[in-house]
Amino acid sequence: MLLRLLLLMLLAVFCSLAKAQETIVLGISNDTQGGTSQLGLSLNQGSSLFFDEYNQLGRAKISLVQLDDGYEPINTISNTKSMLRDVKPLALFNYVGTPTTSAIMPLLVEFQIPLITPFTGADFLRDSMKASVFNFRASYQSEAEKQIDYLVNQLRLEKFSLIVQADAFGLSVEKYYLQRLKDYGLTPSVSARYRRNSVDVERALEKILQSKSDAVIVVGTYEPISKLIQLSSAESYTPIFAALSFVSSFELLKRINQQEKVLVTEVVPNPESCKLPVCEEFRRLARKARWPSVNHVQFEGFLNAKLFSLVVDKCPQSSRKCFVDAYRSSRYDLGGLVAEFDDKGNNILANVYASQQNLPLEF
């Protein structure tokens, strides 16, 4: 009996040492040089902040292979194929964008590889048939509905314009805004489009100036939306502008003046003011790394990484099956934020918060 116990202890030590020497590779494709680069850079930065600390604990080492796709689907496909062929990551991680993520869905099936915490709230990723997709963030439907509820019920607005990016992202979100407005017996005075990866918003501006809407719903990225707000201000037109979390409130607000009225929904708490233990942990490590400031996207990347590390700790052997099962079957306390898989929509968290500027009522 004693001999058997010793053998089991030795086996446990051996397995622990083997895991400590193992390197787990996660493959990332997102924009780090183009018009949405601050999203990819901030998300990767937040994840690296956590993994750098985790890797010092002597457990399995987690390595990130990061490729730039410029927020263009054709590049995302090329990057993903390259990683699957040459790097063979355990999972794909921190992909950014609806059109880019949509483009690699056939590769998930072909290579039977999980996609973990993509930075998009698109509905196609929340299909219960997408068994290997794990969404950390709330859906765009949840964000859109909460925005309209706030603007109509609390601010009593009735006249809306809708400006969307002309691609899968814009189309996937537009329907939720239209449906929620319809629920209140409303339709947009203006519906306009602009091209992805561009700041060609002048034609959309002409339409909203004529409409004199109370609120302008904008679906897209921070560069074109900030330009639209700046041009509107120059024309002395100052409606409420509302945008989804994909815009990044940090990046948007620093590009416009402080007099603008803005609502941006977020899917993680404000990392500067949040009192949860995980927020304090994030701020402590950011100070240790001498970051000058923190933002929601960095914090989301940090949470994505922390969740993955908790899954790693549940898998004595780093197989894809173990990781998929661990995501699905466990409840994880990240430090005041509880992550639990929702098999109805492949969702792990579904919280919606807000960043507001110059609005009279709290979200």
Side-chain angles (χ1 to χ4, degrees):
M1 185 72 176
L2 181 59
L3 179 61
R4 184 181 177 189
L5 182 60
L6 287 171
L7 287 172
L8 287 172
M9 291 175 65
L10 286 171
L11 181 60
V13 170
F14 175 79
C15 289
S16 177
L17 289 172
K19 190 170 181 63
Q21 295 169 354
E22 181 184 15
T23 296
I24 296 170
V25 177
L26 297 177
I28 299 175
S29 177
N30 52 38
D31 182 9
T32 57
Q33 298 182 52
T36 61
S37 60
Q38 292 307 311
L39 298 180
L41 290 170
S42 293
L43 200 66
N44 298 346
Q45 188 180 29
S47 293
S48 295
L49 181 71
F50 180 85
F51 285 142
D52 287 347
E53 187 77 5
Y54 179 84
N55 288 343
Q56 294 178 30
L57 300 177
R59 301 174 186 172
K61 180 181 178 182
I62 300 172
S63 175
L64 302 178
V65 174
Q66 306 172 30
L67 298 180
D68 171 65
D69 61 25
Y71 192 40
E72 287 294 347
I74 191 169
N75 297 335
T76 313
I77 293 171
S78 176
N79 287 348
T80 304
K81 287 181 176 179
S82 174
M83 288 188 291
L84 292 172
R85 181 185 65 242
D86 301 330
V87 180
K88 297 180 173 55
L90 181 75
L92 304 179
F93 182 71
N94 278 2
Y95 275 51
V96 172
T98 299
T100 48
T101 305
S102 176
I104 58 110
M105 295 309 291
L107 297 176
L108 301 187
V109 177
E110 180 181 351
F111 289 88
Q112 293 296 294
I113 187 167
L115 174 63
I116 299 170
T117 58
F119 190 83
T120 168
D123 53 359
F124 70 86
L125 293 172
R126 283 152 176 80
D127 184 338
S128 60
M129 298 301 290
K130 302 290 191 306
S132 62
V133 178
F134 298 93
N135 301 288
F136 186 81
R137 54 183 10 248
S139 69
Y140 287 149
Q141 180 176 5
S142 296
E143 290 193 65
E145 289 178 351
K146 293 214 171 183
Q147 284 183 10
I148 297 300
D149 290 347
Y150 168 78
L151 295 170
V152 173
N153 292 331
Q154 291 189 243
L155 301 191
R156 305 296 180 185
L157 304 185
E158 296 182 351
K159 200 167 185 181
F160 292 81
S161 288
L162 183 57
I163 313 298
V164 305
Q165 185 170 288
D167 65 359
F169 172 38
L171 292 174
S172 71
V173 177
E174 181 182 41
K175 64 183 179 183
Y176 296 128
Y177 281 117
L178 292 175
Q179 181 56 57
R180 201 56 164 181
L181 287 169
K182 184 178 179 181
D183 292 342
Y184 288 105
L186 300 171
T187 56
S189 302
V190 167
S191 290
R193 305 276 191 275
Y194 70 92
R195 185 166 50 88
R196 183 183 69 244
N197 267 345
S198 80
V199 290
D200 299 335
V201 295
E202 285 81 3
R203 290 176 64 186
L205 174 67
E206 290 178 10
K207 292 184 177 181
I208 64 172
L209 288 175
Q210 294 171 7
S211 75
K212 295 186 170 64
S213 296
D214 303 315
V216 178
I217 308 295
V218 281
V219 180
T221 57
Y222 52 84
E223 291 287 5
I225 292 175
S226 63
K227 181 178 178 181
L228 181 70
I229 295 173
Q230 291 164 2
L231 292 174
S232 298
S233 180
E235 296 289 339
S236 300
Y237 176 55
T238 56
I240 295 171
F241 288 92
L244 299 169
S245 58
F246 191 81
V247 77
S248 173
S249 58
F250 178 81
E251 295 300 329
L252 178 64
L253 294 177
K254 77 180 185 182
R255 287 169 168 79
I256 62 176
N257 68 52
Q258 296 183 355
Q259 284 69 51
E260 305 298 345
K261 292 175 283 186
V262 176
L263 169 68
V264 178
T265 42
E266 300 285 1
V267 297
V268 298
N270 187 330
E272 293 184 311
S273 59
C274 168
K275 304 301 182 186
L276 296 175
V278 70
C279 301
E280 294 172 358
E281 177 189 10
F282 171 66
R283 289 192 295 266
R284 176 179 60 82
L285 291 178
R287 287 193 300 270
K288 181 180 175 182
R290 299 185 178 181
W291 289 8
S293 61
V294 296
N295 62 55
H296 289 80
V297 181
Q298 292 167 333
F299 187 40
E300 185 171 344
F302 182 87
L303 293 172
N304 291 349
K306 182 163 189 177
L307 175 60
F308 184 77
S309 76
L310 295 175
V311 174
V312 166
D313 292 343
K314 281 190 171 289
C315 289
Q317 292 184 337
S318 300
S319 70
R320 287 175 182 169
K321 183 180 186 308
C322 180
F323 281 89
V324 168
D325 291 344
Y327 266 106
R328 279 211 201 119
S329 62
S330 299
R331 187 172 183 269
Y332 298 98
D333 185 349
L334 303 179
L337 279 178
V338 176
E340 188 169 15
F341 180 70
D342 169 14
D343 61 1
K344 293 181 180 179
N346 287 18
N347 234 55
I348 296 170
L349 283 183
N351 302 333
V352 177
Y353 308 87
S355 289
Q356 297 172 248
Q357 180 172 283
N358 297 324
L359 297 184
L361 298 171
E362 290 298 316
F363 180 78

